[in-house]
Amino acid sequence: MVRCSLRLFQKASKTTQNQKWISSLLPVCKTPDQAKQELRWIQMELPQDKWDQAIQERSKFIPLQYILGSQPFGSLDIKCRPQVLIPRWETEEWTLKIINKLRGISSLKILDVCTGTGCIPLLMGHSLPHLQIKAMDISSDALELSNENKKIHGITNVEFKYGNVFDKGLLEGEEFDLITSNPPYISELDYLNGETEESVLQNEPKLALVGGLEFYDALVNNVVLPSKATGFFFELGDLEQALYTQSLLNKDWCTKIYKDGADKIRCVYGWKKGSKMQVLEFI
Amino acid sequence: MFGIRISRTAIPSRSNFIRPLFQRFNSTTSTTFQPLHPALIKRAQQLTQELKDLEASLADGGHFDINQQKKYSRLSMVVDIYRDYSENVTLYEELQLLLEDESLKDEAEQEIETTLPKLVELADKLKSKLLPPHEFAEKACLLELRPGVGGIEAMIFTSELFQMYINYANHKRWQYSVVSKSMNGSGNGILEGILSIDEPGSYDKLRFESGVHRVQRIPETETKGRLQTSTAGVVVLPQMSDNNQSEDADERVFAQGEVRIDVMRSSGKGGQHVNTTESAVRLTHIPTGITVSMQDERSQQKNKSRAFAVLRSRIAEKERVEREAAQRSLRSDQVSTTDRSDKIRTYNFPQNRITDHRCSYSLHDAPGVMRGEKLDLLIDALEKHEGQVRSKELENMES
């Protein structure tokens, strides 16, 4: 019989344990490389006694961000939990681009509608501490979480409050310069026919996902126009939503469609001709 | 340390130059003084003049920015040594004359005995200061390590080298961070590792590490006890970014369209429809074809900014190497340089020996080097070796 050293044995059993975990993660991660990566992140961010449970949950398609409790967004780690949409990299990408364009502007009032975790206004407030930002959401879970995120990062120039975008008196007469939003934009059809990922369907709130043209109509007519804003930037899921939004604005406005890093139509944005929000033009 | 210093003093004579440039136990102690080459003296005089001009412009109330401050302190250091050296040369020459006078001979001899070592040391110091500093001398650096030939053993050795540089940074109390590290399947070796050493000036120390490192030993994985030779490649790059710059500053250095950025591309609609954890970013610098991939961070943004920092470093190093090659080809005196494919150092563990092939320097404390404590001995030897080669180049160029 061949004896092997204790050290070698421990090493081998550690390797097989990792292999077992990687194969549990494989169905949800799709590639072995990604499974290894997720295992590494779980092992880095959670204490050892939580690893097994975390991997069990993940293999049942629970989002990694709910298991680890956060998602990086620019330089911030945004706290995440069920009932609130997890920030996407596409949103992070355009938020950072806007921040870069606003660096030179000394005073500005920004409003973010359907704010969710608060990722957009918090990153803006963190990077541009001299600007004043308000943000609204209809969900009490979202408001609670966004306020927690504000506290975690010690951000003082962002204020969260309840707001329903379909409420015509939403603004109570307050004016803003720039409106941003990532409203729910998945159509009922896409939600049911397989266009939406299983893990999203099972775990993220439908309230934050399913919506259509009515949101863009409300954003323009209940928010952009009454606020006298001179710029807006809305995330969306298809060309129709972009064209519809563009059709709502008269010729005082310039509007453009923004494609994300994966070359997909992702946002519609615009600025009033001759206003300081023209900085958005070459985003 | 003292042994090394003495052997170096034996080098300046040009006829001796063909001998192996560096021998640890070289017993030749210098008894005669070899004055500095006229080309070097000329350069010292030039620098003295430059310092005078700088001081004059300062007296006139000229603008004195950070670069000029650096220049001023560098110049005044060299000029101080040069003055000291000149004084001692004059003293030495006078003493030589006194030797001919029988009545003063003994005293002169005594005096020479104390002056000579001082003079030799000053000449050495001056020589190394007269050589212009490396263009990236003040930069922090990135170390990239990849296994070469030798399969799993090469990957294991790569991870040991990776640890050696971490140990070295710890030993020096330098800040460092692991930029990326991909392990092999069995988790005992590295496929690719990038280490960022954030200390300004660390590039100047570690640049000698670039090249192929060779290991000779009986691998852990070898069952029949056979000695194996494997290699690992190390590339040292200057860090081009500042510490306190904004996240996308590296990105902004490039013109629009100069770098292609590839991120995860799902076949579906993206956005709210999917929730991916894939955060890998790949950059392609179109003019040079250099590609950089980063995937270790959960944040795509962090992967991107790291990738841009690495890209800038790789391009800067590539341009430097090309400039150097172009300058070399202009010169008639071809100095043989080490090719990237040449092995620079051997780690022979059974013999407890580490040999650097560029300066033929051997050290018999492999664990000490791997702990990062003795690596400086190798680096010092290489610095001296380079000083000699470069002053030789300078002499040839200007004579």
Side-chain angles (χ1 to χ4, degrees), chain B residues 143-167 178 180-184 187-195 211-217 228-235 347 349 370:
Chain B
L143 296 167
E144 297 188 347
L145 284 80
R146 289 176 195 85
V149 294
I152 291 184
E153 160 71 354
M155 298 171 197
I156 295 173
F157 178 57
T158 308
S159 93
E160 288 170 357
L161 279 183
F162 198 76
Q163 191 57 45
M164 175 179 84
Y165 294 120
I166 289 177
N167 294 344
V178 176
S180 80
K181 186 165 134 181
S182 50
M183 306 295 285
N184 64 355
N188 57 357
I190 284 183
L191 296 173
E192 186 192 72
I194 303 181
L195 185 67
V212 175
H213 296 237
R214 184 173 75 163
V215 63
Q216 292 177 319
R217 66 178 169 196
Q228 192 184 315
T229 300
S230 314
T231 64
V234 177
V235 180
Y347 301 69
F349 286 96
M370 300 311 281

Side-chain angles (χ1 to χ4, degrees), chain A residues 153-217:
Chain A
H153 294 103
I155 292 165
T156 52
N157 57 335
V158 180
E159 189 191 316
F160 293 102
K161 61 185 235 182
Y162 171 86
N164 177 355
V165 71
F166 296 109
D167 172 5
K168 284 194 188 333
L170 171 75
L171 297 180
E172 296 164 344
E174 200 173 350
E175 294 184 359
F176 293 93
D177 300 298
L178 173 65
I179 312 294
T180 58
S181 184
N182 177 18
Y185 54 69
I186 301 178
S187 66
E188 279 287 352
L189 194 67
D190 277 357
Y191 195 68
L192 300 171
N193 72 358
E195 278 288 350
T196 310
E197 211 177 54
E198 201 55 32
S199 130
V200 174
L201 289 179
Q202 283 179 17
N203 299 286
E204 292 190 88
K206 194 178 173 188
L207 179 70
L209 295 166
V210 179
L213 301 181
E214 71 281 7
F215 273 92
Y216 298 94
D217 182 78

Side-chain angles (χ1 to χ4, degrees), chain B residues 247-378:
Chain B
E247 273 172 40
D248 66 332
D250 284 317
E251 187 174 347
R252 277 184 281 164
V253 168
F254 295 96
Q256 193 122 42
E258 198 180 344
V259 180
R260 200 180 74 216
I261 306 171
D262 291 315
V263 295
M264 197 280 307
R265 277 161 204 263
S266 64
S267 49
K269 293 194 167 183
Q272 292 169 3
H273 297 82
V274 293
N275 170 27
T276 181
T277 58
E278 260 180 76
S279 51
V281 174
R282 192 182 65 214
L283 303 182
T284 311
H285 185 243
I286 293 161
T288 57
I290 295 174
T291 62
V292 183
S293 296
M294 283 286 152
Q295 59 279 310
D296 286 7
E297 288 282 339
R298 280 174 68 204
S299 157
Q300 190 185 74
Q301 204 51 41
K302 274 191 196 137
N303 282 332
K304 190 163 107 183
S305 68
R306 282 183 177 190
F308 265 106
V310 171
L311 181 64
R312 277 189 71 188
S313 297
R314 285 197 190 157
I315 292 171
E317 181 69 6
K318 185 178 190 294
E319 286 172 351
R320 185 191 66 80
V321 169
E322 284 168 0
R323 265 199 304 279
E324 219 165 62
Q327 282 165 5
R328 264 211 180 90
S329 68
L330 289 177
R331 280 184 225 147
S332 50
D333 60 331
Q334 281 285 332
V335 180
S336 71
T337 50
T338 45
D339 192 83
R340 281 217 172 162
S341 57
D342 286 350
K343 61 175 194 296
I344 58 161
R345 195 180 288 160
T346 296
Y347 301 69
N348 187 312
F349 286 96
Q351 292 175 17
N352 193 26
R353 170 177 61 84
I354 295 185
T355 300
D356 199 290
H357 304 290
R358 292 163 295 182
C359 58
S360 316
Y361 176 78
S362 285
L363 185 72
H364 290 270
D365 184 2
V369 172
M370 300 311 281
R371 278 199 307 271
E373 293 157 11
K374 297 279 178 75
L375 190 58
D376 261 335
L377 290 179
L378 285 160

Side-chain angles (χ1 to χ4, degrees), chain A:
Chain A
M1 192 179 101
V2 183
R3 287 177 61 95
C4 73
S5 73
L6 189 62
R7 197 174 130 243
L8 205 63
F9 179 74
Q10 280 171 338
K11 217 171 170 179
S13 57
K14 193 183 142 206
T15 317
T16 48
Q17 178 64 66
N18 274 354
Q19 290 301 344
K20 232 169 74 191
W21 278 332
I22 288 169
S23 46
S24 316
L25 291 173
L26 203 52
V28 62
C29 294
K30 296 182 187 90
T31 67
D33 278 347
Q34 193 57 21
K36 256 191 242 171
Q37 202 71 271
E38 287 204 7
L39 176 62
R40 207 171 58 83
W41 291 330
I42 288 169
Q43 293 180 331
M44 251 166 53
E45 295 190 23
L46 296 177
Q48 196 165 351
D49 57 327
K50 297 267 172 64
W51 292 354
D52 204 50
Q53 193 200 340
I55 288 148
Q56 291 307 317
E57 285 174 8
R58 185 65 183 130
S59 67
K60 289 175 194 142
F61 289 81
I62 308 250
L64 184 70
Q65 296 90 338
Y66 288 158
I67 297 167
L68 300 179
S70 72
Q71 166 66 27
F73 194 82
S75 48
L76 304 179
D77 263 329
I78 295 289
K79 189 171 176 178
C80 293
R81 62 170 169 247
Q83 299 311 316
V84 186
L85 184 84
I86 296 161
R88 306 291 200 256
W89 68 265
E90 291 95 335
T91 313
E92 178 188 23
E93 191 181 61
W94 65 255
T95 305
L96 285 165
K97 286 188 177 175
I98 292 186
I99 288 170
N100 269 331
K101 292 292 173 189
L102 300 183
R103 278 189 206 282
I105 296 176
S106 56
S107 105
L108 206 61
K109 276 187 80 177
I110 303 173
L111 174 67
D112 183 55
V113 188
C114 308
T115 197
T117 55
C119 56
I120 300 168
L122 289 172
L123 185 59
M124 285 182 168
H126 174 78
S127 311
L128 307 165
H130 57 289
L131 301 188
Q132 279 213 19
I133 305 169
K134 280 198 176 169
M136 297 179 179
D137 206 291
I138 192 171
S139 145
S140 53
D141 289 307
L143 286 173
E144 201 180 310
L145 183 61
S146 57
N147 269 313
E148 277 177 45
N149 269 313
K150 174 184 163 174
K151 214 167 168 185
I152 290 168
H153 294 103
I155 292 165
T156 52
N157 57 335
V158 180
E159 189 191 316
F160 293 102
K161 61 185 235 182
Y162 171 86
N164 177 355
V165 71
F166 296 109
D167 172 5
K168 284 194 188 333
L170 171 75
L171 297 180
E172 296 164 344
E174 200 173 350
E175 294 184 359
F176 293 93
D177 300 298
L178 173 65
I179 312 294
T180 58
S181 184
N182 177 18
Y185 54 69
I186 301 178
S187 66
E188 279 287 352
L189 194 67
D190 277 357
Y191 195 68
L192 300 171
N193 72 358
E195 278 288 350
T196 310
E197 211 177 54
E198 201 55 32
S199 130
V200 174
L201 289 179
Q202 283 179 17
N203 299 286
E204 292 190 88
K206 194 178 173 188
L207 179 70
L209 295 166
V210 179
L213 301 181
E214 71 281 7
F215 273 92
Y216 298 94
D217 182 78
L219 280 167
V220 171
N221 289 312
N222 296 350
V223 187
V224 175
L225 299 178
S227 72
K228 300 206 168 74
T230 53
F232 69 89
F233 212 103
F234 302 149
E235 187 169 320
L236 42 73
D238 58 47
L239 182 64
E240 192 197 358
Q241 291 162 346
L243 295 175
Y244 178 72
T245 309
Q246 288 179 310
S247 77
L248 296 174
L249 292 151
N250 66 23
K251 59 181 188 311
D252 294 344
W253 288 81
C254 275
T255 55
K256 273 184 149 181
I257 291 171
Y258 163 91
K259 282 186 172 181
D260 65 26
D263 212 27
K264 303 230 159 73
I265 290 177
R266 187 55 59 214
C267 295
V268 63
Y269 66 101
W271 65 93
K272 237 178 174 160
K273 287 173 191 164
S275 74
K276 60 181 165 185
M277 282 299 108
Q278 193 148 359
V279 292
L280 297 176
E281 186 169 0
F282 298 108
I283 211 147

